[in-house]
């Protein structure tokens, strides 16, 4: 992880985890993240095809990203 990206995200991450998220990310910030990495953890990923998170995961994968699905509600379940 690049130090500059870490420093940029440190405060927003703290705000997000404390429930005080003051802003949304700009298109420029999102574009920078999506062009500087090819591995993304998708929090709230669902194995159900009708869920929006499933569509997001498939779209990212179709564009060459490695997606790590994260869904604590599915913890301990075996993949079929």
């Amino acid at each position: 992880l690049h130090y500059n990206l870490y420093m940029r995200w440190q405060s927003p991450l703290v705000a997000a985890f404390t429930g005080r998220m003051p802003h949304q990310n700009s298109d420029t910030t999102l574009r920078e993240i999506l062009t500087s990495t090819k591995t993304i953890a998708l929090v709230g990923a669902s194995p159900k095809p009708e869920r929006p998170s499933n569509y997001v995961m498939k779209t990212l994968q179709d564009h060459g990203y490695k997606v790590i699905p994260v869904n604590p509600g599915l913890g301990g379940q075996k993949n079929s």
Side-chain angles (χ1 to χ4, degrees):
L1 183 65
H2 296 278
Y3 180 75
N4 289 343
L5 280 176
Y6 171 76
M7 292 308 293
R8 177 179 292 166
W9 286 100
Q10 185 177 11
S11 294
L13 283 175
V14 170
F17 284 110
T18 60
R20 294 186 304 251
M21 194 65 176
H23 64 279
Q24 290 185 333
N25 295 311
S26 70
D27 289 348
T28 302
T29 300
L30 294 173
R31 189 173 291 109
E32 182 178 333
I33 292 167
L34 292 172
T35 57
S36 66
T37 187
K38 284 296 182 183
T39 302
I40 296 176
L42 182 61
V43 179
S46 174
K48 298 177 181 176
E50 66 274 10
R51 297 284 175 91
S53 62
N54 189 281
Y55 174 77
V56 169
M57 183 166 53
K58 175 98 171 81
T59 300
L60 288 168
Q61 290 171 332
D62 289 349
H63 284 87
Y65 292 92
K66 176 183 176 186
V67 179
I68 301 169
V70 177
N71 190 324
L74 298 177
Q77 295 183 14
K78 293 184 178 186
N79 295 335
S80 52

